[in-house]
Amino acid sequence: MAKISGNDIRPGTMLDYDGGLWMAVKTQKVKPGKGGAYNQVELKNVTSGTKLNQRFRSDETVEEIYLEKKDFQFLYASGDMLTFMDMESYDQIELAADFVGDQAQYLQDGMKTLVQLYDGKPIGIALPQHVTLTITEADPVLRGGTAAPSYKSATLENGMKIQVPPFIDAGTKVIVATEDGTYVRRAE
């Protein structure tokens, strides 16, 4: 662990603060008319999810935490538990679907993910930026509605509904952004 100055805290920085593991969500440098400058930091507890607003002066130091990041492969879902395998040691871990959140709908068998670990315990997961999914249902194209670019509703193989260009039909493979579930392009 490394000590960093209160001014060096940036969004995304992991800190060991007040006996807990915290992530800086927002930071704002403040220079009041009287007194010393400080860094106003919004912290989020990684384990409990609680938030805290804290001021850090430049002469204060805090412990920065470096997380271990390992490649895991998604194996299968069983009820509300998701099973992943460590790509190096072949150890398997189970994570609750709640832990993965909304991104769980993008998981596909054999998908490579990045799991963030702290003291051997998973505290975060990152999926690939894009996934390829098949359109199972697509609305018909409405002709002559407007000259502006238009989109139509379509259903993906995972049951999710997205907006796609009019030339996309059922059975077409498309690339979808996992961050916000938007259509990116047609798959090759």
Side-chain angles (χ1 to χ4, degrees), residues 161-182:
K161 290 198 176 295
I162 64 167
Q163 295 293 309
V164 296
F167 59 84
I168 301 292
D169 295 318
T172 306
K173 287 186 179 287
V174 295
I175 296 175
V176 178
T178 56
E179 186 179 325
D180 55 6
T182 56

Side-chain angles (χ1 to χ4, degrees), residues 9 18-19 35 37 39 41 50 56 118 141 147 155 159 161 176 179-181 187:
I9 300 171
D18 202 24
N39 195 3
V41 181
T50 58
F56 292 97
Y118 178 67
V141 179
T155 307
K161 290 198 176 295
V176 178
E179 186 179 325
D180 55 6

Side-chain angles (χ1 to χ4, degrees), residues 135 138-143 145-154 161-168 174-175 181-186:
I135 301 285
D139 288 351
V141 179
L142 297 173
R143 298 269 178 218
T146 178
S150 60
Y151 281 82
K152 63 181 184 178
S153 185
K161 290 198 176 295
I162 64 167
Q163 295 293 309
V164 296
F167 59 84
I168 301 292
V174 295
I175 296 175
T182 56
Y183 166 86
V184 177
R185 66 181 182 275
R186 189 173 14 191

Side-chain angles (χ1 to χ4, degrees), residues 118-154:
Y118 178 67
D119 281 346
K121 286 176 46 182
I123 61 164
I125 186 167
L127 271 55
Q129 280 188 302
H130 300 112
V131 292
T132 303
L133 295 165
T134 305
I135 301 285
T136 55
E137 231 177 273
D139 288 351
V141 179
L142 297 173
R143 298 269 178 218
T146 178
S150 60
Y151 281 82
K152 63 181 184 178
S153 185

